[in-house]
């Protein structure tokens, strides 16, 4: 089956993107705030016990995030005056309300990230998924006072119906399709794809590849330097994906601080949120949207 959600578009053939105030790279922190069920396997640091119920080793490692790691990351973000783009499991509203309070006070952007990270919606019928997504979005809106505009599925999972159902609920962008350095329009009216990263991601780097702290800092620097070099004529996006139970470990904290210091003081970088990136792209390119609609009619 071919992917009909989006069309092929080489980055070298597109109309230029211009970020506010002449910035060349838009930067956001994708902060994953997640809830895990104690009787289900999920992201693990040790495979040997991952199928046990309960699994204190891996569950405890994940649960370090909301208890300790988040608060360490919060201090670092505050130090650099960065607003997080929170990828929020709606179950966090019930289980970790202090985190919601902290984020609301800082006017963070809230993206829907499913109910929890133990259950995926991949096998749901369209009716089941519509009810599931509605509950997730409504729960986050009630808790934060802001209706989510963006979505990232647990483990970046979707069904073939997810984008159209999200558009029905009024969401305007997704992060699941990590295939670009710029936003682009999906073939679902009103819906964008905004870049996220499975490579510049603390789970992939530290857990998957055993990257060192100094190497993490250098990777962030190299990513920004290269994107900036390519952005003379058209803006790029640098997305940094973080999980408090990984980057929030004490021995890694100073390396996050160093990486963010480099980004935050880099000339020509727009320190922003995924929400604002999507909104700016949509408002700045209405002609592109109109042209796309006309092209669709011709087809």
């Amino acid at each position: 089956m071919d992917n009909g959600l989006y069309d092929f578009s080489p980055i070298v053939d597109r109309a230029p993107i211009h970020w506010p105030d002449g910035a060349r790279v838009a930067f956001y922190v994708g902060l994953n705030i997640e809830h895990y069920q104690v009787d289900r396997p999920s992201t693990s640091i040790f495979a040997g016990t991952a199928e046990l119920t309960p699994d204190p080793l891996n569950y405890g490692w994940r649960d370090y995030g909301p208890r300790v790691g988040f608060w360490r990351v919060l201090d670092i973000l505050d130090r650099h005056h960065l607003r997080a783009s929170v990828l929020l499991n709606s179950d966090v509203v019930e289980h970790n309300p202090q985190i919601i309070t902290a984020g609301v006070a800082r006017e963070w952007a809230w993206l829907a990230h499913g109910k929890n990270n133990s259950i995926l919606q991949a096998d749901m019928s369209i009716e089941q998924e519509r009810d599931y997504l509605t509950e997730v979005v409504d729960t986050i809106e009630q808790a934060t006072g802001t209706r989510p505009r963006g979505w990232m599925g647990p483990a970046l999972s979707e069904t073939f119906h997810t984008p159209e159902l999200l558009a029905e609920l009024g969401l305007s962008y997704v992060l699941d399709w990590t295939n670009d350095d710029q936003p682009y329009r999906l073939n679902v009216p009103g819906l964008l794809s905004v870049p996220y990263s499975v490579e510049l991601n603390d789970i992939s780097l530290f857990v998957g590849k055993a990257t060192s702290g100094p190497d993490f800092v250098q990777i962030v620097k190299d990513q920004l330097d290269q994107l900036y070099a390519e952005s003379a004529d058209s803006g790029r996006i640098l997305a940094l994906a973080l999980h408090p139970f990984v980057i929030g470990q004490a021995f890694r904290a100073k390396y996050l601080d160093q990486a963010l210091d480099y980004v935050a003081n880099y000339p020509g970088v727009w320190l922003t949120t995924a929400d604002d990136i999507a909104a700016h792209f949509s408002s700045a390119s209405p002609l592109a949207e109109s042209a796309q609609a006309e092209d669709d009619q011709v087809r």
Side-chain angles (χ1 to χ4, degrees):
M1 176 186 291
D2 291 333
N3 186 358
L5 182 61
Y6 54 83
D7 301 324
F8 176 61
S9 172
I11 197 168
V12 295
D13 291 346
R14 303 174 194 166
I17 294 174
H18 302 290
W19 300 130
D21 300 320
R24 289 172 52 166
V25 177
F27 171 74
Y28 79 91
V29 172
L31 186 62
N32 291 261
I33 305 298
E34 298 164 339
H35 177 73
Y36 294 87
Q37 295 184 341
V38 72
D39 59 344
R40 285 177 177 262
S42 191
T43 307
S44 298
I45 195 169
F46 178 61
T49 62
E51 299 298 324
L52 298 181
T53 302
D55 173 17
L57 191 163
N58 289 305
Y59 180 85
W61 172 66
R62 295 188 295 264
D63 202 38
Y64 185 87
R67 296 174 65 86
V68 180
F70 169 83
W71 306 100
R72 189 172 286 136
V73 172
L74 178 71
D75 287 343
I76 295 171
L77 293 175
D78 283 351
R79 190 174 306 134
H80 297 286
H81 308 290
L82 291 169
R83 293 169 58 215
S85 299
V86 180
L87 316 177
L88 184 68
N89 287 164
S90 60
D91 277 352
V92 172
V93 169
E94 175 186 354
H95 294 279
N96 314 114
Q98 297 92 333
I99 290 177
I100 306 298
T101 300
V104 168
R106 289 162 173 79
E107 298 183 341
W108 285 354
W110 303 96
L111 290 76
H113 186 35
K115 184 174 173 60
N116 56 61
N117 257 50
S118 300
I119 299 175
L120 311 182
Q121 78 267 27
D123 295 327
M124 293 181 184
S125 69
I126 188 170
E127 294 81 10
Q128 290 172 326
E129 187 177 14
R130 179 180 282 111
D131 291 343
Y132 169 83
L133 294 174
T134 299
E135 179 187 356
V136 168
V137 170
D138 287 352
T139 298
I140 294 173
E141 180 179 19
Q142 291 165 11
T144 65
T146 303
R147 190 166 183 82
R149 288 186 264 168
W151 163 268
M152 191 179 81
L156 287 83
S157 61
E158 291 188 2
T159 73
F160 284 115
H161 299 292
T162 304
E164 63 192 71
L165 294 174
L166 292 171
E168 284 180 11
L169 290 169
L171 277 70
S172 59
Y173 69 94
V174 299
L175 302 184
D176 294 329
W177 301 87
T178 59
N179 58 1
D180 219 300
D181 290 328
Q182 294 180 331
Y184 61 89
R185 299 185 185 281
L186 298 172
N187 294 328
V188 174
L191 205 62
L192 303 176
S193 175
V194 170
Y196 182 73
S197 182
V198 291
E199 290 257 17
L200 196 59
N201 185 310
D202 56 0
I203 288 182
S204 300
L205 291 172
F206 291 120
V207 182
K209 299 182 177 68
T211 300
S212 72
D215 283 345
F216 169 76
V217 176
Q218 190 60 51
I219 286 169
V220 173
K221 290 181 176 180
D222 290 344
Q223 184 83 349
L224 178 53
D225 290 348
Q226 182 64 31
L227 290 173
Y228 187 86
E230 296 172 351
S231 65
D233 298 318
S234 187
R236 299 296 196 267
I237 293 175
L238 171 58
L240 180 60
L242 302 177
H243 300 75
F245 59 91
V246 178
I247 199 66
Q249 297 289 335
F251 65 94
R252 292 191 180 113
K254 69 178 182 180
Y255 299 110
L256 175 62
D257 190 40
Q258 291 171 18
L260 293 181
D261 183 68
Y262 186 78
V263 175
N265 290 288
Y266 202 103
V269 174
W270 178 28
L271 305 176
T272 187
T273 65
D275 276 7
D276 288 346
I277 288 170
H280 179 83
F281 180 80
S282 293
S283 65
S285 56
L287 294 179
E289 184 172 17
S290 176
Q292 180 65 50
E294 292 177 5
D295 186 50
D296 291 343
Q297 289 178 357
V298 170
R299 292 183 200 172

